[in-house]
Amino acid sequence: MNFFFFSIVLSLCLQINAMNLLNEQLKDSEKFFRNWEYVSDQVMGGVSTGKAEIKKEGDNFFLRLSGNVSTKNNGGFIQVRSKISGLGDNFKGLRLKVKGEANAYFVHIRTNFLFLPWQYYSGEFLVDSEWKEIEIFFKDFKKSNFYQPSSFDASEIESIGFVAFGKDFNAKLDVMEAELF
């Protein structure tokens, strides 16, 4: 009986300390894309092409970022991102459920200390054709420029993006769950 109560309390604590980024919005793509936007290197003269869309597999909805990443014209990225505000310092990372075209993909975080569009913190993860859960701790994110702070707190986060970048390739990243923990 004590184990049962302990399990319930532990489960509630874990849920209280987590924040789902994709939420129920995946079931309504119009609502979802009010908060998330697709961006490519075309905003700066690049030639990468792609799209972000909501897909369904069985009863599960997920976000798909797909396209052709090209480093021509100093480009090399496609991304789907959302603005974030009002986070406390109690989060230490991201938990994702992902699959896709086998490759390295990234989570890019921008904070209130970053002003230039090419500044971000980057967390790398690998996917393959099977769904898997991964955790990326904020302490493991790498800064994009030497002149930005070395680390950040969750309360400083202003946007989070899922990104395919840095080399020429055909990208396909599926994200079923994304949660701050």
Side-chain angles (χ1 to χ4, degrees):
M1 189 68 146
N2 286 339
F3 177 75
F4 175 73
F5 288 118
F6 174 76
S7 298
I8 289 174
V9 169
L10 179 63
S11 175
L12 287 173
C13 288
L14 289 174
Q15 289 176 7
I16 289 170
N17 251 352
M19 179 184 167
N20 190 331
L21 296 174
L22 299 180
N23 217 314
E24 289 293 310
Q25 296 174 11
L26 282 175
K27 295 179 181 174
D28 181 350
S29 64
E30 185 178 320
K31 184 176 181 180
F32 179 83
F33 286 112
R34 281 188 219 135
N35 297 316
W36 290 81
E37 66 176 332
Y38 169 81
V39 181
S40 78
D41 58 22
Q42 291 183 12
V43 298
M44 52 181 247
V47 297
S48 297
T49 58
K51 62 184 173 180
E53 59 190 331
I54 304 300
K55 302 294 255 177
K56 186 175 182 185
E57 183 177 270
D59 292 334
N60 299 308
F61 292 87
F62 59 92
L63 169 65
R64 173 170 288 165
L65 174 66
S66 61
N68 181 7
V69 179
S70 172
T71 57
K72 291 179 182 166
N73 283 2
N74 295 316
F77 76 88
I78 60 173
Q79 161 176 208
V80 60
R81 68 181 178 200
S82 180
K83 293 186 182 203
I84 305 287
S85 64
L87 295 179
D89 282 335
N90 55 325
F91 299 109
K92 59 184 177 189
L94 277 167
R95 186 176 298 118
L96 306 174
K97 185 172 183 180
V98 292
K99 74 173 185 171
E101 199 65 41
N103 223 313
Y105 295 89
F106 300 85
V107 173
H108 283 185
I109 289 179
R110 291 187 43 81
T111 69
N112 54 357
F113 292 110
L114 306 179
F115 302 104
L116 302 171
W118 54 84
Q119 294 177 302
Y120 53 85
Y121 294 93
S122 183
E124 183 177 3
F125 61 96
L126 301 172
V127 302
D128 56 36
S129 61
E130 299 296 320
W131 289 110
K132 66 179 176 180
E133 292 185 12
I134 59 167
E135 290 185 346
I136 310 170
F137 288 86
F138 294 147
K139 67 179 179 59
D140 296 328
F141 276 61
K142 305 213 179 332
K143 62 183 183 174
S144 62
N145 289 283
F146 70 92
Y147 48 83
Q148 69 192 64
S150 295
S151 61
F152 61 91
D153 291 324
S155 64
E156 299 165 352
I157 295 174
E158 289 191 341
S159 72
I160 294 179
F162 302 107
V163 186
F165 94 112
K167 60 184 177 185
D168 297 327
F169 73 109
N170 289 317
K172 183 173 85 172
L173 172 63
D174 296 338
V175 183
M176 186 179 291
E177 296 172 8
E179 179 179 79
L180 293 164
F181 68 91

